[in-house]
Amino acid sequence: MLEVIDKGACSESHPVPLLFVHGAWHAAWCWDEHFLDFFADKGFRALAVSLRGHGNSPSPKPLRTCSLADYLDDVDSVVDTLPTTPVLIGHSMGGFIVQKYLEAHQAPAGVLIASAPQRGSFAFTMRLTRRHPWLTTKGLITGNALLPVGTPELARESFFSSQTPESDVVRYAARLNGESQRVAIDTIWMLPRPKRVTTPLLILGAECDRSILSKEVRTTANAYRTEAEIFPDMGHDMMLEPGWAAVAERIHTWLEMRDLRPHRGEPDQQETTPTG
Protein backbone atom coordinates (compact mmCIF):
# COMPACT_ATOMS: atom_id res chain seq x y z
CA MET A 1 0.00 0.00 0.00
CA LEU A 2 1.39 3.38 -0.98
CA GLU A 3 1.47 6.16 1.57
CA VAL A 4 -1.14 8.77 0.65
CA ILE A 5 -1.74 11.83 2.82
CA ASP A 6 -5.34 12.90 2.22
CA LYS A 7 -6.84 16.15 3.51
CA GLY A 8 -10.03 18.06 2.86
CA ALA A 9 -12.98 16.90 0.80
CA CYS A 10 -14.49 17.53 -2.61
CA SER A 11 -17.43 19.88 -2.64
CA GLU A 12 -19.95 21.24 -5.11
CA SER A 13 -17.70 24.24 -5.76
CA HIS A 14 -14.54 22.10 -5.97
CA PRO A 15 -15.60 18.66 -7.23
CA VAL A 16 -12.16 17.67 -8.55
CA PRO A 17 -9.40 16.52 -6.16
CA LEU A 18 -5.77 17.61 -6.35
CA LEU A 19 -3.01 14.97 -6.45
CA PHE A 20 0.50 16.14 -5.58
CA VAL A 21 3.54 14.18 -6.85
CA HIS A 22 6.89 14.77 -5.16
CA GLY A 23 10.32 15.00 -6.74
CA ALA A 24 13.52 13.00 -6.35
CA TRP A 25 14.76 12.40 -2.79
CA HIS A 26 11.46 13.67 -1.34
CA ALA A 27 8.14 12.08 -0.34
CA ALA A 28 4.56 13.10 0.46
CA TRP A 29 5.74 14.94 3.57
CA CYS A 30 7.04 17.85 1.46
CA TRP A 31 3.46 18.71 0.45
CA ASP A 32 2.12 18.19 3.95
CA GLU A 33 4.23 21.00 5.38
CA HIS A 34 2.07 23.73 3.81
CA PHE A 35 0.27 22.90 0.58
CA LEU A 36 -2.20 20.20 1.65
CA ASP A 37 -3.66 22.29 4.46
CA PHE A 38 -3.67 25.40 2.27
CA PHE A 39 -5.76 23.76 -0.44
CA ALA A 40 -7.95 21.84 2.00
CA ASP A 41 -8.78 25.16 3.68
CA LYS A 42 -9.72 26.52 0.23
CA GLY A 43 -12.31 23.75 -0.13
CA PHE A 44 -10.35 21.17 -2.14
CA ARG A 45 -9.62 17.55 -1.44
CA ALA A 46 -5.80 17.50 -1.54
CA LEU A 47 -3.79 14.29 -1.63
CA ALA A 48 -0.05 13.61 -1.77
CA VAL A 49 1.44 10.23 -2.66
CA SER A 50 4.81 8.83 -1.64
CA LEU A 51 6.12 6.91 -4.63
CA ARG A 52 7.34 3.37 -3.94
CA GLY A 53 10.48 3.31 -1.81
CA HIS A 54 9.86 6.86 -0.59
CA GLY A 55 8.50 8.02 2.76
CA ASN A 56 6.36 5.23 4.19
CA SER A 57 5.66 3.54 0.85
CA PRO A 58 7.22 0.08 0.51
CA SER A 59 8.87 -1.13 -2.67
CA PRO A 60 8.73 -4.74 -3.91
CA LYS A 61 12.28 -4.39 -5.26
CA PRO A 62 15.38 -2.34 -4.41
CA LEU A 63 14.72 1.36 -4.85
CA ARG A 64 17.72 1.90 -7.12
CA THR A 65 16.20 -0.53 -9.67
CA CYS A 66 12.73 1.09 -9.78
CA SER A 67 11.85 2.51 -13.19
CA LEU A 68 9.95 5.52 -14.43
CA ALA A 69 7.21 3.10 -15.49
CA ASP A 70 6.98 1.93 -11.86
CA TYR A 71 6.48 5.48 -10.64
CA LEU A 72 3.85 6.07 -13.35
CA ASP A 73 2.07 2.93 -12.16
CA ASP A 74 2.09 4.36 -8.63
CA VAL A 75 0.39 7.55 -9.79
CA ASP A 76 -2.10 5.55 -11.86
CA SER A 77 -2.94 3.34 -8.88
CA VAL A 78 -3.81 6.37 -6.74
CA VAL A 79 -5.84 8.00 -9.53
CA ASP A 80 -7.81 4.77 -9.88
CA THR A 81 -8.93 5.00 -6.24
CA LEU A 82 -10.47 8.43 -6.77
CA PRO A 83 -14.05 8.97 -7.96
CA THR A 84 -12.87 11.37 -10.67
CA THR A 85 -9.59 12.20 -12.37
CA PRO A 86 -7.65 14.72 -10.27
CA VAL A 87 -5.68 17.80 -11.13
CA LEU A 88 -2.06 16.60 -11.18
CA ILE A 89 0.59 18.79 -9.53
CA GLY A 90 4.21 17.66 -9.81
CA HIS A 91 7.47 19.06 -8.45
CA SER A 92 10.88 18.40 -10.06
CA MET A 93 10.99 14.70 -10.98
CA GLY A 94 7.30 14.62 -10.09
CA GLY A 95 6.73 17.21 -12.80
CA PHE A 96 8.45 14.93 -15.30
CA ILE A 97 6.19 12.08 -14.14
CA VAL A 98 3.13 14.29 -14.62
CA GLN A 99 4.26 15.15 -18.16
CA LYS A 100 4.66 11.47 -19.03
CA TYR A 101 1.36 10.55 -17.38
CA LEU A 102 -0.55 13.17 -19.37
CA GLU A 103 0.72 11.75 -22.66
CA ALA A 104 -1.72 8.89 -22.22
CA HIS A 105 -4.34 10.26 -19.82
CA GLN A 106 -6.74 13.16 -19.78
CA ALA A 107 -6.95 15.35 -16.67
CA PRO A 108 -8.81 18.56 -15.84
CA ALA A 109 -5.51 20.46 -15.41
CA GLY A 110 -1.86 20.04 -14.50
CA VAL A 111 0.74 22.12 -12.67
CA LEU A 112 4.51 21.74 -13.08
CA ILE A 113 6.57 23.25 -10.24
CA ALA A 114 10.32 23.55 -10.92
CA SER A 115 9.78 20.52 -13.11
CA ALA A 116 12.49 18.37 -14.60
CA PRO A 117 12.64 19.64 -18.18
CA GLN A 118 10.75 18.24 -21.12
CA ARG A 119 14.20 17.74 -22.71
CA GLY A 120 15.25 15.42 -19.88
CA SER A 121 17.45 15.51 -16.78
CA PHE A 122 20.88 15.12 -18.42
CA ALA A 123 21.86 18.77 -17.82
CA PHE A 124 20.85 18.55 -14.15
CA THR A 125 22.86 15.36 -13.71
CA MET A 126 25.91 16.95 -15.28
CA ARG A 127 25.62 20.05 -13.06
CA LEU A 128 25.41 17.91 -9.94
CA THR A 129 28.34 15.78 -11.09
CA ARG A 130 30.51 18.84 -11.78
CA ARG A 131 29.76 20.25 -8.34
CA HIS A 132 30.41 16.99 -6.51
CA PRO A 133 32.27 14.50 -8.71
CA TRP A 134 33.40 12.26 -5.85
CA LEU A 135 30.00 12.09 -4.13
CA THR A 136 28.13 11.35 -7.35
CA THR A 137 30.68 8.71 -8.35
CA LYS A 138 30.56 7.11 -4.91
CA GLY A 139 26.78 7.16 -5.02
CA LEU A 140 26.84 5.43 -8.39
CA ILE A 141 29.21 2.74 -7.11
CA THR A 142 27.45 2.11 -3.80
CA GLY A 143 23.90 2.67 -4.98
CA ASN A 144 23.43 5.42 -2.39
CA ALA A 145 22.03 8.24 -4.54
CA LEU A 146 21.40 10.36 -1.44
CA LEU A 147 25.11 11.22 -1.04
CA PRO A 148 25.21 14.39 -3.23
CA VAL A 149 22.25 16.01 -1.40
CA GLY A 150 22.09 14.29 1.97
CA THR A 151 23.54 16.87 4.38
CA PRO A 152 22.05 20.26 5.32
CA GLU A 153 24.82 22.04 3.41
CA LEU A 154 24.29 19.94 0.27
CA ALA A 155 20.50 20.12 0.57
CA ARG A 156 20.60 23.91 0.74
CA GLU A 157 22.83 24.00 -2.33
CA SER A 158 20.40 21.95 -4.45
CA PHE A 159 16.99 22.73 -2.97
CA PHE A 160 16.87 25.96 -0.95
CA SER A 161 17.65 29.65 -1.27
CA SER A 162 19.59 31.74 1.22
CA GLN A 163 16.21 32.95 2.55
CA THR A 164 15.35 29.56 4.07
CA PRO A 165 16.15 29.40 7.81
CA GLU A 166 18.93 26.97 8.68
CA SER A 167 16.69 25.20 11.19
CA ASP A 168 14.25 24.37 8.37
CA VAL A 169 17.02 23.17 6.05
CA VAL A 170 18.35 20.87 8.80
CA ARG A 171 14.87 19.48 9.45
CA TYR A 172 14.08 18.92 5.78
CA ALA A 173 17.48 17.41 4.99
CA ALA A 174 16.89 14.80 7.70
CA ARG A 175 13.76 13.65 5.85
CA LEU A 176 15.34 13.27 2.41
CA ASN A 177 15.08 9.85 0.83
CA GLY A 178 17.27 7.64 -1.33
CA GLU A 179 16.50 7.64 -5.04
CA SER A 180 16.41 5.28 -8.00
CA GLN A 181 19.45 5.28 -10.28
CA ARG A 182 17.31 3.60 -12.91
CA VAL A 183 14.88 6.54 -12.94
CA ALA A 184 17.77 8.98 -13.26
CA ILE A 185 18.64 7.20 -16.51
CA ASP A 186 15.01 6.91 -17.65
CA THR A 187 14.49 10.67 -17.30
CA ILE A 188 17.34 11.21 -19.75
CA TRP A 189 15.98 9.14 -22.64
CA MET A 190 12.23 8.60 -22.04
CA LEU A 191 11.33 12.15 -23.00
CA PRO A 192 7.76 13.50 -22.84
CA ARG A 193 5.91 14.24 -26.06
CA PRO A 194 4.22 17.62 -25.61
CA LYS A 195 2.16 17.27 -28.80
CA ARG A 196 0.30 14.37 -27.19
CA VAL A 197 -0.66 16.40 -24.10
CA THR A 198 -3.97 18.26 -24.33
CA THR A 199 -4.35 19.00 -20.61
CA PRO A 200 -3.93 22.72 -19.79
CA LEU A 201 -0.74 23.34 -17.80
CA LEU A 202 0.51 25.97 -15.39
CA ILE A 203 4.32 25.97 -15.38
CA LEU A 204 6.21 27.62 -12.52
CA GLY A 205 9.91 28.04 -11.81
CA ALA A 206 12.26 29.66 -9.27
CA GLU A 207 14.83 32.35 -9.98
CA CYS A 208 17.46 30.98 -7.53
CA ASP A 209 16.99 27.31 -8.46
CA ARG A 210 20.35 25.54 -8.93
CA SER A 211 18.74 22.22 -9.84
CA ILE A 212 16.31 23.22 -12.61
CA LEU A 213 17.34 26.50 -14.20
CA SER A 214 14.82 29.20 -15.13
CA LYS A 215 15.78 28.90 -18.79
CA GLU A 216 14.94 25.18 -18.67
CA VAL A 217 11.53 25.95 -17.16
CA ARG A 218 10.88 28.44 -19.95
CA THR A 219 11.93 25.93 -22.60
CA THR A 220 9.52 23.37 -21.15
CA ALA A 221 6.71 25.93 -21.15
CA ASN A 222 7.44 26.79 -24.76
CA ALA A 223 7.19 23.11 -25.69
CA TYR A 224 3.68 23.05 -24.19
CA ARG A 225 2.70 26.26 -25.98
CA THR A 226 2.44 28.38 -22.86
CA GLU A 227 4.58 30.77 -20.81
CA ALA A 228 6.48 30.01 -17.63
CA GLU A 229 6.10 32.08 -14.48
CA ILE A 230 9.33 32.53 -12.52
CA PHE A 231 9.23 33.44 -8.84
CA PRO A 232 12.05 35.71 -7.65
CA ASP A 233 14.32 34.93 -4.67
CA MET A 234 13.18 31.30 -4.44
CA GLY A 235 15.05 28.01 -4.55
CA HIS A 236 14.08 24.65 -6.01
CA ASP A 237 11.75 23.44 -3.23
CA MET A 238 9.11 26.06 -3.94
CA MET A 239 6.55 24.34 -1.69
CA LEU A 240 8.91 24.58 1.31
CA GLU A 241 10.63 27.91 0.74
CA PRO A 242 9.59 30.97 2.84
CA GLY A 243 7.65 32.27 -0.19
CA TRP A 244 5.61 29.07 -0.57
CA ALA A 245 2.31 30.91 0.05
CA ALA A 246 2.74 33.05 -3.09
CA VAL A 247 3.21 29.86 -5.13
CA ALA A 248 0.14 28.23 -3.58
CA GLU A 249 -1.93 31.36 -4.14
CA ARG A 250 -0.93 31.48 -7.81
CA ILE A 251 -1.94 27.86 -8.30
CA HIS A 252 -5.23 28.47 -6.51
CA THR A 253 -6.02 31.54 -8.61
CA TRP A 254 -5.24 29.64 -11.81
CA LEU A 255 -7.41 26.71 -10.79
CA GLU A 256 -10.29 29.01 -9.90
CA MET A 257 -10.18 30.43 -13.45
CA ARG A 258 -10.53 26.99 -15.03
CA ASP A 259 -13.59 24.88 -15.74
CA LEU A 260 -12.68 21.86 -13.64
CA ARG A 261 -15.39 19.38 -14.50
CA PRO A 262 -15.15 15.83 -13.19
CA HIS A 263 -14.36 13.31 -15.89
CA ARG A 264 -12.53 10.11 -16.59
CA GLY A 265 -10.80 9.89 -19.95
CA GLU A 266 -9.88 6.58 -21.46
CA PRO A 267 -6.07 6.33 -21.60
CA ASP A 268 -4.35 5.52 -24.84
CA GLN A 269 -1.64 2.91 -24.88
CA GLN A 270 1.51 4.53 -23.51
CA GLU A 271 4.69 4.19 -25.54
CA THR A 272 8.09 3.73 -23.93
CA THR A 273 10.38 4.10 -26.91
CA PRO A 274 13.18 6.70 -26.61
CA THR A 275 12.72 10.07 -28.25
CA GLY A 276 14.94 13.05 -28.82
Side-chain angles (χ1 to χ4, degrees), residues 241-260:
E241 286 274 272
W244 69 266
V247 180
E249 286 284 4
R250 178 66 189 107
I251 295 170
H252 176 247
T253 299
W254 186 77
L255 291 176
E256 290 289 273
M257 294 169 58
R258 308 216 63 82
D259 181 14
L260 300 180

Side-chain angles (χ1 to χ4, degrees), residues 148-200:
V149 300
T151 69
E153 180 182 12
L154 294 171
R156 181 182 290 279
E157 182 182 73
S158 287
F159 303 135
F160 301 102
S161 70
S162 60
Q163 310 300 317
T164 308
E166 182 64 17
S167 59
D168 285 344
V169 175
V170 170
R171 182 162 60 92
Y172 298 147
R175 302 195 72 175
L176 294 177
N177 203 95
E179 194 47 73
S180 167
Q181 294 172 319
R182 167 75 181 276
V183 166
I185 295 171
D186 286 350
T187 54
I188 290 173
W189 69 272
M190 289 179 62
L191 303 184
R193 302 170 177 82
K195 290 182 180 179
R196 299 187 64 183
V197 176
T198 59
T199 298

Side-chain angles (χ1 to χ4, degrees), residues 132-151:
H132 301 292
W134 165 239
L135 290 176
T136 51
T137 300
K138 184 178 179 181
L140 184 64
I141 294 171
T142 63
N144 182 6
L146 185 60
L147 287 175
V149 300
T151 69

Side-chain angles (χ1 to χ4, degrees), residues 52 61 63 65-72 180 182-183 186:
R52 66 183 67 191
K61 59 185 177 182
L63 175 60
T65 66
C66 291
S67 67
L68 182 61
D70 291 328
Y71 289 175
L72 286 164
S180 167
R182 167 75 181 276
V183 166
D186 286 350

Side-chain angles (χ1 to χ4, degrees), residues 91-104:
H91 172 251
S92 195
M93 178 189 71
F96 193 92
I97 292 169
V98 168
Q99 292 177 63
K100 291 296 295 181
Y101 186 85
L102 293 177
E103 285 182 1

